[in-house]
Amino acid sequence: MTILPITLTDYLILSGALFSIGVFGVLTRKNAIAVLMGVELMLNAANINLVAFSKFTGPGVDGQVFALFSIVIAAAEVAVALAIVISIYRVTRTIDLDKEDTLKG
Amino acid sequence: MYPFIEQYVWLVPLLPLLGAAVNLLAGSRLPRHAVSTIAVGSISASFVLTVIAYLHIVSLPADHRQFIDTAYTWIGLGGFKVGLSFLVDPLSVVMGMIVSGVSSVIHLYSVGYMHDDRRYSRYFGFLNLFAFAMLLLVLSDSILLMFVGWEGVGLCSYLLIGFWFEKIENARAGMKAFVVNRIGDFGFIVGFLLLFTAIGIRTGTWSLDFGAIQSAVGLVPTAVLTTVGIMLFVGATGKSAQIPLYVWLPDAMAGPTPVSALIHAATMVTAGVYMVARMNFLYALAPDALRVIAIVGALTAFFAATIGLVQNDIKRVLAYSTVSQLGYMFIGVGVGAFSAGIFHLMTHAFFKALLFLGSGSVIHAMSGEQDIRKMGGLSKKLPITTATFVIASLAIMGVPGFAGFFSKDDILYNAYTSPYGGTFVWLLGVLAAVLTGFYMTRLVVLTFYGSSRMDPHTAEHVHESPKTMTIPLIVLAILSAIGGYIGMPEAFGVRNVFAGFLGPVFASGVRLPEGSVPLEWALMGVSVLAAFSGIGLAYYFYAVDTELPAALAEKYNTAFRPAYTGMYVDEFYSKYIVGGVMGLKDLLALFDSHIIDGAVNGTARLGRRLSDFEGAFDRIVVDGAVNAVGNGIVSAGGVLRRLQTGLVQNYLIFAIIGMAILLSFVLL
Amino acid sequence: MSMDASAVHALFFYFFAAMTIVSALLVVLLRNIVRSAFSLFFTLFGVAGVYILLGADFVGVAQVLIYIGGVMILIVFGVMLTHNSYSVDMFNRLGTLVMGTVSAIVTFTIVYYSIRQVPWLLSGYKANVPTTQPIGVQLLTNYLLPFELASVLLVFAMVGAAYLIRSEVRPGKERAGGSERKDA
Amino acid sequence: MMQTDLTRSLLLIAPELIVALAALVALTGAMLMKRSRGREAFYIGIMGMLGAIAATVILYERLTLSTAFHGMIAIDPFGLFFRLIAYVSILYVLLMTMCSREMKDTQGKWELVAILSGFGIGMSMMASSTNLLMIYLSMELLSVMSYLLVSYRRGARRSKEAGLKYIIYGSIASAFMLYGMSMLYGIAHSLGLSAILTAFMDHSYSHITVYVATLFVLAGFGFKIVMVPMHMWAPDVYEGAPTPITTLLAVASKAAGFAVVLRFFYTAYISAVSMTNYYVNVSPVRWLLLIAVIAAFTMTIGNIVAIPQNNIKRMLAYSSIAHAGYMLIGLSVISKEAVSAILLYLTVYFFMNLGAFFIVMIVDNSLYSEDIDRYSGLSRMSPGLSAAMTVFLFSLTGIPPFAGFIGKVVVFIAAIDKGLYWLVIVAVINTVVSLYYYARVIKKMYLETPPEGVRPIKVGVLPALIIISLLVPTILFGIWWAPLQSFAHFSSFMY
């Protein structure tokens, strides 16, 4: 058995799979924090793409820089999201997304 | 002469608008004389400006008698143009003078007539608004702006007909006018939108200016033009009270009499005729539409006259006569004799305004009584009213020498000779002339001559009207007497000044065959004969042998009570002529009672606010929108709303599904 | 590059890929949120490994420092602070579960096809060189404005987040006031 | 050389620097001042915004087309237009917040000013970005600030729920966008938008890939402009957020979305035929058709679901979805006129929508309700408010002579000009449908009797002035809109 060299496509498929798992997570999890973890998976998938393209195509490190920024922003986003989750938890004593449905129609 | 007017045409409609604004907003705080001064002053100033425009135009060479005053370009995007521009050419200047002139006279008359009314300032505000809308309609340079005026007169007529809305019938009449006009306007909208798209697609010019339409109309296929022409004419049947949409006009008598005069003479009902004349270049390419117009006009002229025979309300007689005379105008424009139609429009404006104002004077004197069976012998007490009324009657009946003679004759001659007319149209016109002679004579004799049938209490109070009312009568009487001489037929060996003046406007219109003088004399003879036979018959029945109708009636039906002399003729006619012959009228009545009244009732469920504007808004806009949108959309809203579950993950699922659908849609 | 090196590279790739995917699946499937959070820890490590494989050493380090050092701590704190959420059912009702699965499969199919369709223009194999310096230079030249913008974002996000979770106001007072008809 | 370039670049973002300065002052205030005092914060915010507006106007005057910060942002009329919109709308939101009952007992006024400033910087950078990274970054800045603002009312259940939904939906949308951007980076080998155009012209890529990348990116943009199918968050969030913030989302956030989507497509997907005013789509995908279909769905769904609504903020939320649909018509054809039509529509929409939301807030201040039913007989409680509301609603419907009509006309004409008749017909039918729910409010205000015992609503001087300042353009631009058109036309120029 020979091991085929790893190409760009392999990285892309890895990222696609990770992204889809993230999609599954954000759509099906009931717990708000679990949903946020799903988002992190999706963002990581995109970052893999960026770094892989940066490696295999074109000059420069643009993709890596983008990934770097994306990591930083994800951190900020998570901080804000958790702040919101905690503040809603104080009001309703739950972070169950199924209970957050008073606004509808 | 006066070239400055080329930049100031916009003042003509603006002045009455300003007058209306002042009177409606602040009028209740102003003294009455200030209100009337503003109202009469603004419309008179418009009249003066129109006359100046006329003088300016006349001083130009005949082929260059036209200018466009673009006051403001509202939308100008590429080929799409909408703005406030005013077209002054012989046609619009004549119409402008008729509208502003007759309106001025009626405004003046109203000062006396409405003197004691509670809502004096509101009345004058509406009256000014009415004049503004009509002047806008007449002077506009595009169908779109014309449509604004078109809707404006509809709205004002609604406001004014229902002016005394405390009485439920008045409010209903206003509503009816509104609804019927909406039906017509729908046709109008469809017509001009069709034209707009047809031209826009072919030329890339999205404009509704008359100039642009005229230059592009040749590219549009005839079938489209015919449809457009007929749809526009549907709008005209609403505004100008033609079969089958005439039903609102007789009911519109509910408004104050000067308003009736305004509607019947100067504004509103002439709009349809003017519109057809203005679009002459389009109709020239749609001969089938012209034939439809001529036939509808002829039928209307005849049938309305027969209905007029048996009316006992002085204003209703005049109302049906207006419908009938409008039929004449449509015969004129329908057979392609546009200037003849406009000519009749003008003379009719004079004598019909006079007739209404005269009847107003009578009603004023009779303390509100409108039934001619309860009048008689008024000539001694109301000498000026009687004299002017008789002059107007002679004019409308087409007695030679008076204004109506020349214009009616012009139309009938053209109806006979034009390729779009023919014997049928002509014959209906002549028969209508006989009937006109009859019912007008009947009206005059029963109202002013013979013995008084008034109740004594009313008789004591009969008096001639104040000067603000009689002066307008005299002015209009003079015009009714001599106004026709500017359009004398060429058979008299003179040039037709009126037709010559309007000629360039209709230059691209319909080619009519050359006239033959002997034929013209012969046809003229026939129509004179027709008028006099009607007059003679009526005179015999109602003045000479007043017993004869009674005897006739007795012979056919002894159950008639011999209440008033001459009334048997009415019974006779209603039984054997009107009732018997005219199944069509029943059909129209059916239309009236079922469709129109149904529509009125349907939209007018709540009686309380029937007449004030908010109520109308509620019903027409809101309920109308509900019905138009349909319950389907509303329930679709309910269904889609249920998808909005409040769960954010469901929203995400919908977004992903939606994107997948979009993707498959564009990839397939 | 020798065949061996390629094979080693491939083996490392499969190792990190497996680690990433398996732990990611655990993240979205485990019922206990604390365990989910620890699975995420492994996923992020796996991704960092992939970065290193791709020669992005600086990004890999940043991943470890920021994600694992910052984000993960935050998440764990979040889990702790909303302590009774252990007991919350982790999964939605069945319908959502099915639709979520379908959506995920559809997404993967779409992404997979679009990856396979493109003739990606490759610029040849680039040797792995240290990237810290070029990235640093880039950040202070070409990417100066994004750098500043990111710092603005971080500052304001922290200020806002701090405001939201500060609880100096007596909660009862604010909840009682106003017209919150829908307040529970 | 390097240094002068930096100085020049910094001058070109002077408005943002002024706003950042104001934000810093506000943050210092947050640390030093007593929490109960907050009015000063608004004054600082207002001064900052006025300064930024002045700086933007000066930039407009001395405009030389250029890029700044190594091609990260473009300095052009298009960008400046949206920077202006950003600061003017934040100015209005600050004023609104000062008048708002809901926000009165909220403590963090200093932080609020700082966060609004951040929003402004994000929006202005979004409109100017010519680089994928910049777009992502500035959009995230705007989004994160929006999440914070929506959930700003402490203890208020609705505000929190809205914030949670918003951040979950938003972060997922931006994850999709990031994924799409990474694919575009793979195609273009560079993050600059113009590189994508070059890549499309030089190589042929599979249209499936480009479609997927475009759709993913569009998911992020569409989330901001509230287009179908990424629209469902909007009604919930609009309803739950404090009214001034709802206004900010409906007006500024949407404008920012349009700015970025226009810039994105016109720089990366569309090329001007040289020496002409004619544009062509050079990408391998027929995205124009895609947008046209989306536009039709967006306006239809927005209008239809608006009909059964009982909460006026929710109704206006659906109406704003519908308006996004009308504006998307301008995006589904490519021409200079279409861009300027969208800009004109946005300006007009700014005034009328802000006005409508402002009146909703004033009414809520007095009646403690956002139910449409509570508007019964409003004309008797406050004739002025009802009249102004009527004007705004008629304008939103698109009835002449109000500005909303002009907005619709220019967009429709841009579409007709390119032969997109079916979409215009759909839009016209939609306009008719929309009359129903707008007229319902007017009907309530004028035709129905108020409940017993209502007192007249008093409107203070500041709110009255704000309403007038919105009312005047709504009417004036309906009648005299040539200057607006030439402004929009000028602003449609992208570097």
Side-chain angles (χ1 to χ4, degrees), chain C residues 36-179:
Chain C
S36 272
F38 279 105
S39 299
L40 182 63
F41 181 86
F42 286 102
T43 313
L44 298 176
F45 246 124
V47 172
V50 170
Y51 291 159
I52 306 284
L53 272 186
L54 283 165
D57 49 359
F58 188 73
V59 182
V61 171
Q63 168 91 353
V64 174
L65 287 181
I66 299 175
Y67 255 120
I68 300 169
V71 178
M72 274 309 299
I73 300 291
L74 270 175
I75 287 178
V76 171
F77 264 110
V79 172
M80 300 303 171
L81 284 170
T82 56
H83 49 81
N84 74 349
S85 53
Y86 295 104
S87 53
V88 175
D89 277 346
M90 284 295 287
F91 281 108
N92 259 309
R93 29 186 126 63
L94 189 67
T96 322
L97 203 59
V98 172
M99 290 312 289
T101 317
V102 170
S103 299
I105 291 170
V106 165
T107 310
F108 183 72
T109 318
I110 289 172
V111 172
Y112 183 79
Y113 266 98
S114 62
I115 290 166
R116 299 312 289 256
Q117 283 287 327
V118 168
W120 299 104
L121 292 170
L122 306 180
S123 62
Y125 187 80
K126 282 191 289 192
N128 289 345
V129 290
T131 54
T132 314
Q133 198 219 358
I135 288 178
V137 171
Q138 288 284 311
L139 281 182
L140 288 176
T141 54
N142 281 344
Y143 291 96
L144 180 63
L145 185 63
F147 190 68
E148 297 301 330
L149 212 55
S151 61
V152 169
L153 171 58
L154 280 174
V155 170
F156 289 154
M158 292 314 138
V159 168
Y163 166 76
L164 280 186
I165 47 175
R166 214 164 40 206
S167 61
E168 78 217 81
V169 181
R170 292 174 299 280
K173 185 189 165 196
E174 234 179 289
R175 251 185 293 165
S179 68

Side-chain angles (χ1 to χ4, degrees), chain D residues 80 102 157 171 198 211-212 277 279 282 361 407 410 430 460-461 483:
Chain D
L80 285 175
E102 279 180 310
R157 171 86 163 79
S171 54
T198 321
Y211 254 132
V212 171
N277 200 10
Y279 296 89
V282 295
M361 191 190 82
V410 288
N430 263 292
V461 180

Side-chain angles (χ1 to χ4, degrees), chain B residues 186-543:
Chain B
F186 180 71
F188 192 89
I189 294 172
V190 170
F192 80 70
L193 286 182
L194 189 59
L195 184 64
F196 179 66
T197 10
I199 290 179
I201 287 172
R202 285 181 179 77
T203 62
T205 308
W206 298 90
S207 170
L208 283 166
D209 288 2
F210 291 122
I213 296 173
Q214 185 163 6
S215 55
V217 84
L219 302 170
V220 182
T222 311
V224 175
L225 287 182
T226 306
T227 317
V228 169
I230 289 175
M231 286 326 261
L232 291 178
F233 179 63
V234 169
T237 58
K239 277 280 173 297
S240 297
Q242 297 296 292
I243 289 173
L245 296 181
Y246 71 91
V247 289
W248 65 272
L249 191 61
D251 286 10
M253 294 299 103
T257 305
V259 172
S260 308
L262 199 60
I263 290 175
H264 285 253
T267 62
M268 186 102 181
V269 297
T270 56
V273 182
Y274 170 75
M275 187 274 297
V276 175
R278 174 52 76 202
M279 303 299 290
N280 65 80
F281 49 83
L282 185 144
Y283 282 105
L285 298 175
D288 289 339
L290 277 185
R291 285 193 191 96
V292 169
I293 294 176
I295 288 169
V296 170
L299 288 174
T300 309
F302 178 71
F303 286 126
T306 49
I307 303 170
L309 294 177
V310 292
Q311 300 298 322
N312 292 320
D313 182 322
I314 182 168
K315 285 172 76 180
R316 286 185 87 86
V317 176
L318 296 176
Y320 281 106
S321 95
T322 302
V323 178
S324 171
Q325 298 298 314
L326 286 165
Y328 273 114
M329 296 174 211
F330 278 106
I331 298 177
V333 294
V335 300
F338 297 108
S339 64
I342 296 295
F343 185 35
H344 194 58
L345 189 160
M346 182 184 82
T347 58
H348 178 257
F350 298 149
F351 56 67
K352 188 46 65 65
L354 177 51
L355 285 171
F356 266 108
L357 297 186
S359 75
S361 181
V362 169
I363 295 164
H364 196 66
M366 298 280 300
S367 319
E369 182 57 60
Q370 302 196 4
D371 192 335
I372 52 174
R373 289 171 300 193
K374 296 178 184 159
M375 297 180 185
L378 285 174
S379 60
K380 296 178 200 76
K381 292 190 173 153
L382 307 172
I384 301 174
T385 306
T386 309
T388 53
F389 201 91
V390 168
I391 290 172
S393 305
L394 293 173
I396 194 175
M397 289 186 289
V399 171
F402 292 90
F405 166 71
F406 297 106
S407 55
K408 193 184 286 186
D409 188 61
D410 201 1
I411 288 174
L412 287 177
Y413 167 72
N414 280 303
Y416 190 81
T417 56
S418 162
Y420 309 117
T423 334
F424 176 66
V425 171
W426 176 78
L427 195 65
L428 282 177
V430 171
L431 287 176
V434 177
L435 299 174
T436 309
F438 192 97
Y439 66 71
M440 284 311 296
T441 310
R442 169 176 174 265
L443 181 63
V444 170
V445 170
L446 287 183
T447 309
F448 294 103
Y449 297 101
S451 52
S452 170
R453 298 177 296 276
M454 289 176 279
D455 64 89
H457 179 72
T458 317
E460 276 172 34
H461 289 85
V462 171
H463 55 90
E464 186 59 284
S465 301
K467 279 220 172 60
T468 50
M469 287 164 70
T470 51
I471 290 174
L473 294 182
I474 294 166
V475 171
L476 288 169
I478 294 169
L479 288 170
S480 304
I482 62 168
Y485 288 96
I486 57 164
M488 276 176 35
E490 312 214 337
F492 282 57
V494 290
R495 213 165 59 82
N496 188 336
V497 183
F498 191 79
F501 180 60
L502 289 181
V505 182
F506 304 127
S508 62
V510 181
R511 289 264 159 269
L512 291 174
E514 286 296 311
S516 105
V517 176
L519 180 65
E520 193 162 359
W521 279 109
L523 293 174
M524 207 183 292
V526 173
S527 53
V528 171
L529 202 65
F532 277 115
S533 60
I535 296 170
L537 207 57
Y539 190 72
Y540 186 76
F541 279 164
Y542 292 91

Side-chain angles (χ1 to χ4, degrees), chain B residues 72-77 80 200-201 206 609 614-615 617-619 621-623 625-626 628-629 633-634 636-638 640-641 643-652 654-660 662-663 665-668, chain D residues 165 168-169 172 176 207-208 211-212 215-216 219 229-230 232-233 235-236 286 290 293-294 304-305 307-310 314 318 394 400-401 405-406 409-410 413 416 421 433 435-436 439 442-443 446-447 478-481 485:
Chain B
Y72 176 62
T73 306
W74 188 36
I75 300 172
L77 290 165
F80 185 79
I201 287 172
W206 298 90
R609 282 214 195 80
E614 297 165 358
F617 175 81
D618 185 21
R619 264 172 285 109
V621 180
V622 181
D623 287 354
V626 174
V629 166
I633 286 181
V634 176
L640 284 173
R641 186 187 181 180
L643 294 181
Q644 195 87 23
T645 51
L647 297 173
V648 66
Q649 283 153 314
N650 287 3
Y651 301 173
L652 287 163
F654 279 117
I656 290 174
I657 293 173
M659 274 160 59
L662 282 171
L663 192 69
F665 171 80
V666 288
L667 288 180
L668 289 178
Chain D
K165 286 183 179 176
I168 287 181
Y169 202 107
I172 292 165
F176 268 98
H207 68 293
I208 294 181
Y211 254 132
V212 171
L215 261 181
F216 277 23
M230 276 73 78
M232 293 178 91
W233 61 273
D236 292 6
R286 284 157 47 215
L290 186 77
V293 173
I294 289 176
I304 288 179
V305 190
I307 292 174
Q309 297 307 324
N310 298 319
R314 208 172 173 83
Y318 281 107
F394 272 143
F405 172 71
I406 294 300
V409 165
V410 288
I413 286 175
I416 288 174
Y421 298 111
V433 173
L435 179 64
Y436 173 69
I442 298 169
K443 180 183 155 189
Y446 282 95
L447 300 182
I479 302 162
W480 187 54
W481 59 291
Q485 192 196 8

